[in-house]
Amino acid sequence: MTRKRLGLDQKRVLYRDGFVVLREFVDQDRVAQARRLVLENLDLRRDGGAKDRRARRSNPGLSPIVLGLFNDSGLRDLLDEALGPVGAARGCQLATRLPAEPGEQVNESGYRDRDTPFRGWHGHLDGLWNGATRIHQHVDRAMTPEEAEAWNQEPSSNGCRKAFPDLGANLRNFAALVAVALSDQSAEGAGNFGVLKGAHHHIERFFRDQREAGGPLGPDGPNWERIDRDAPNGCGLRHYPDAVRLAFAMDAYRTPDGKLWPKPTLLRLAPGDAAIVLHAVPHGATRVAVSEPRLMAFFRVTPLARPEGNRAVYPDALCDIWREWPGMADVVRRPRSAP
């Protein structure tokens, strides 16, 4: 039977690293059904026909089959214990990456994919504005005024706004990102999900410093300039603070222009493995160098106890990342009370 709660050692890992991997958590029949639905939607199945056309017209992230990866697998029960009641998932992000060679595509950091180290990893915090139009793909010229005006609109392509002035924050936040692997990512090069291990401690301190400096929290707040005008395309996005990048300088890579790229921890997940990741951990996908697509299901979880006016934006939880984790209280209290 699937465990209904995280064990003590798992909670200690979650506190220390900002994420914890749950091996073989979701049963293979459930994973296979969800994978089949995703592949049908991508039109990768060979049978074709009306069945595929129906799949493409629907949103597989709203399917009971996909939602069951969280609601019916034991993951919801586990999060209920750690966060308090979270309710059933009503949507899922199905993140697919197809095999690709290092290319000329410019990513949100403003760099070409082939020039971005660690298989193209450029981590981000969720809930940030990412431009209303496609990222500027030219490294030989700046945006035209018309392009810049279109790109700077709100909301962005991911539905986020630049600022929430009434709340003193410039990003949305949830409590936990729950990932379920639907494809084999047990070796590097399979589009592995990368996380900046331990960065949540630095992110929390950074948000506290921003609040003490008068805010707002997030990009365009104290010591966090949103736009990197030194990026090759002239308008890269800083999706986490430079101060946090510097904290990981020891194992980082520097591109010829001097840009620092912290080395992520690439999760090696088999189908059915799950991971719980704090919102405060920069994360992102990497390039797929194998022949099969990378398939992941992501659930963003917020406890029902969060104040109604802060369902999407909760600055207090940015400055105290364990505020919403009653099931972690004993584990968190010991390290924080140590001299």
Side-chain angles (χ1 to χ4, degrees):
M1 179 180 292
T2 302
R3 294 192 61 165
K4 303 283 188 179
R5 59 192 296 150
L6 291 172
L8 180 59
D9 287 344
Q10 291 173 315
K11 289 183 177 182
R12 287 171 174 162
V13 169
L14 179 60
Y15 174 81
R16 182 192 68 204
D17 297 342
F19 68 94
V20 63
V21 174
L22 312 173
R23 299 293 181 191
E24 300 179 347
F25 196 93
V26 181
D27 70 80
Q28 292 302 307
D29 285 344
R30 195 179 298 278
V31 169
Q33 291 180 50
R35 180 171 57 242
R36 186 178 305 114
L37 186 63
V38 175
L39 292 175
E40 288 175 351
N41 193 66
L42 287 172
D43 198 22
L44 294 181
R45 286 171 60 90
R46 296 181 179 179
D47 51 6
K51 182 178 180 181
D52 285 327
R53 291 197 293 273
R54 287 197 302 271
R56 285 196 298 274
R57 286 199 300 268
S58 66
N59 181 351
L62 301 178
S63 164
I65 292 173
V66 171
L67 296 180
L69 296 169
F70 180 84
N71 293 335
D72 306 321
S73 67
L75 282 171
R76 178 184 172 186
D77 294 333
L78 187 150
L79 269 296
D80 276 344
E81 190 277 331
L83 286 165
V86 298
R90 293 182 291 180
C92 171
Q93 177 194 2
L94 291 167
T96 302
R97 285 221 158 191
L98 299 178
E101 296 292 329
E104 298 295 315
Q105 180 83 8
V106 176
N107 57 44
E108 290 186 355
S109 68
Y111 285 73
R112 294 186 182 97
D113 175 67
R114 65 174 173 82
D115 297 329
T116 305
F118 306 120
R119 299 186 186 275
W121 190 85
H122 51 287
H124 64 273
L125 293 180
D126 276 346
L128 294 172
W129 180 91
N130 71 341
T133 58
R134 184 172 181 241
I135 197 73
H136 186 54
Q137 292 296 302
H138 297 276
V139 296
D140 56 349
R141 68 166 178 85
M143 284 186 179
T144 66
E146 294 76 16
E147 288 171 337
E149 181 180 4
W151 185 64
N152 278 292
Q153 295 300 308
E154 298 183 69
S156 57
S157 60
N158 62 3
C160 292
R161 290 163 48 193
K162 285 184 177 179
F164 301 88
D166 294 343
L167 296 169
N170 294 346
L171 75 164
R172 298 163 63 104
N173 61 307
F174 47 83
L177 179 67
V178 179
V180 179
L182 303 180
S183 63
D184 185 8
Q185 302 154 50
S186 56
E188 289 190 15
N192 306 73
F193 184 63
V195 295
L196 196 53
K197 181 178 178 179
H200 56 304
H201 302 295
H202 301 278
I203 292 286
E204 180 183 52
R205 286 194 291 271
F206 183 85
F207 282 133
R208 289 178 178 179
D209 289 345
Q210 282 195 312
R211 173 173 275 184
E212 289 180 6
L217 309 184
D220 295 333
N223 299 313
W224 188 350
E225 188 175 354
R226 186 190 302 270
I227 307 300
D228 180 4
R229 304 198 184 279
D230 294 327
N233 77 341
C235 55
L237 292 170
R238 291 185 178 90
H239 278 329
Y240 62 101
D242 281 346
V244 176
R245 298 177 86 99
L246 287 171
F248 290 84
M250 181 174 295
D251 294 323
Y253 178 88
R254 282 190 186 271
T255 42
D257 62 356
K259 180 81 168 184
L260 190 74
W261 300 88
K263 182 179 181 179
T265 295
L266 302 184
L267 303 190
R268 299 188 178 203
L269 304 176
D273 288 351
I276 299 172
V277 185
L278 294 184
H279 171 271
V281 175
H283 59 270
T286 54
R287 190 183 310 113
V288 180
V290 297
S291 60
E292 297 298 319
R294 173 267 219 182
L295 309 176
M296 289 282 281
F298 290 109
F299 300 90
R300 289 165 174 84
V301 182
T302 299
L304 297 177
R306 178 177 283 195
E308 187 61 34
N310 296 109
R311 292 300 299 173
V313 182
Y314 194 16
D316 287 348
L318 293 171
C319 296
D320 179 5
I321 58 177
W322 300 107
R323 183 184 186 92
E324 301 184 281
W325 294 81
M328 290 283 292
D330 288 345
V331 173
V332 172
R333 187 179 302 120
R334 290 190 186 96
R336 289 194 171 189
S337 63

